[in-house]
Amino acid sequence: MRIGIDFDNTIACYEQVFRDVATSKRLLLPSFERSKQDVRDAIRLLPDGESRWTELQADVYGPMIKNAVPFDGVKSFIKTAHRQAHEIVIISHKTTFAAARPKGTNLRKAALQWLKQQGFFEPQMGLTQDDVHFSNTRVEKCKKIDAAGVSVFIDDLVELFAEPTFPSTVKKCLFNAQPSDALLSAEVNAFETWHDLKTELLS
C-alpha cells in the first residue's frame, strides 16, 4: 500500500503544549487539564477570543513545536509499514507562516526539523524530507492526496473527508476519533489510537 498521513495532531501531539502556552499567557488557569479542543473552546469564549486562539496556534505550531511529542504508537506504525514494504507519505495543511505571525517562524521548516529531531528520518522509518508535502488550503491538500496515489489516508479532522474534492478511491481513516465528531459517515473508518490503526491496516 501507499499510505498518506496528516502531520499536526495526527503525528505530532500538541495537547500539553497548548495547555502550557495558554497558561503561561494567562489565558487559562494552571488547573485546566482538558484537551486541545477544550483549550480552543475556552479561549474563543474570551474577549477577542478568536484572535487570541489564532495567536496561540502560531506560537504552538511555530517556536513551541519543539515541545510537541509523537503520538503513542505512530513511530511503531511507520516502522512496521516500512518493514512490510508499504510506502508512507506525509501530507499536511500548513502554510509557510502563520497568519498571526507573518514574519515569524517558518512553520514548514519547523515541522521538518521536528520530524528529524524525533527520528522520523532514520533509515528504519523509510522516510525522507521528500516524502513530506505541505499545502496552503484544504482543497490543495485533497489534490496532493490524489496526486500522491495513496490508497489510505489518515487524518484527525473529519472535515477533510467531507471535502467534495477528497478522492473517492482513497480509504478514509479518522485518527483520534471521538463519538461526538460531526460529519461521521459510513465511509469514514474511525480509530481512537495508532495501535488500532496498526491492527487494522498492517496486521
Side-chain angles (χ1 to χ4, degrees), residues 155-162 172-192:
D155 203 292
D156 71 299
L157 288 179
V158 71
E159 290 86 354
L160 175 74
F161 301 131
K172 304 171 181 178
C173 292
L174 179 66
F175 169 69
N176 206 14
Q178 305 299 318
S180 59
D181 277 322
L183 304 178
L184 276 174
S185 70
E187 294 181 354
V188 178
N189 303 270
F191 301 90
E192 291 186 12

Side-chain angles (χ1 to χ4, degrees), residues 142-143 145-147 149-153 160-173 185-189:
C142 288
K143 290 180 180 178
I145 291 169
D146 191 25
V150 300
S151 53
V152 176
F153 197 81
L160 175 74
F161 301 131
E163 279 288 333
T165 54
F166 188 89
S168 59
T169 57
V170 175
K171 182 174 181 176
K172 304 171 181 178
C173 292
S185 70
E187 294 181 354
V188 178
N189 303 270

Side-chain angles (χ1 to χ4, degrees), residues 8-187:
D8 290 320
N9 306 299
T10 303
I11 292 176
C13 177
Y14 302 92
E15 294 282 338
Q16 190 62 47
V17 188
F18 270 105
R19 289 194 293 266
D20 289 346
V21 177
T23 53
S24 72
K25 291 177 174 293
R26 298 185 180 181
L27 299 173
L28 298 173
L29 294 173
S31 58
F32 194 97
E33 286 293 337
R34 284 174 280 176
S35 69
K36 173 213 164 189
Q37 185 169 331
D38 293 325
V39 171
R40 180 198 66 186
D41 293 344
I43 291 175
R44 281 176 164 173
L45 292 174
L46 298 173
D48 201 23
E50 194 61 42
S51 294
R52 292 185 178 196
W53 169 244
T54 302
E55 290 172 1
L56 180 65
Q57 286 182 297
D59 291 333
V60 171
Y61 295 141
M64 300 309 295
I65 192 177
K66 61 185 179 183
N67 294 332
V69 295
F71 271 100
D72 184 38
V74 65
K75 294 178 77 172
S76 175
F77 178 95
I78 293 174
K79 193 181 301 183
T80 300
H82 176 58
R83 192 165 60 243
Q84 294 181 0
H86 301 302
E87 294 181 65
I88 299 288
V89 291
I90 297 171
I91 303 176
S92 170
H93 175 189
K94 184 185 289 292
T95 55
T96 306
F97 298 98
R101 302 274 193 276
K103 295 183 179 180
T105 301
N106 184 311
L107 304 183
R108 296 180 176 183
K109 287 183 178 179
L112 289 171
Q113 182 64 20
W114 183 88
L115 285 164
K116 181 179 179 180
Q117 290 176 340
Q118 293 294 333
F120 283 90
F121 297 143
E122 295 296 321
Q124 66 270 24
M125 304 295 281
L127 281 170
T128 71
Q129 291 193 22
D130 292 336
D131 298 311
V132 184
H133 308 275
F134 300 106
S135 56
N136 289 316
T137 66
R138 193 177 292 165
V139 171
E140 184 183 333
K141 180 176 178 177
C142 288
K143 290 180 180 178
K144 286 184 181 291
I145 291 169
D146 191 25
V150 300
S151 53
V152 176
F153 197 81
I154 303 166
D155 203 292
D156 71 299
L157 288 179
V158 71
E159 290 86 354
L160 175 74
F161 301 131
E163 279 288 333
T165 54
F166 188 89
S168 59
T169 57
V170 175
K171 182 174 181 176
K172 304 171 181 178
C173 292
L174 179 66
F175 169 69
N176 206 14
Q178 305 299 318
S180 59
D181 277 322
L183 304 178
L184 276 174
S185 70
E187 294 181 354

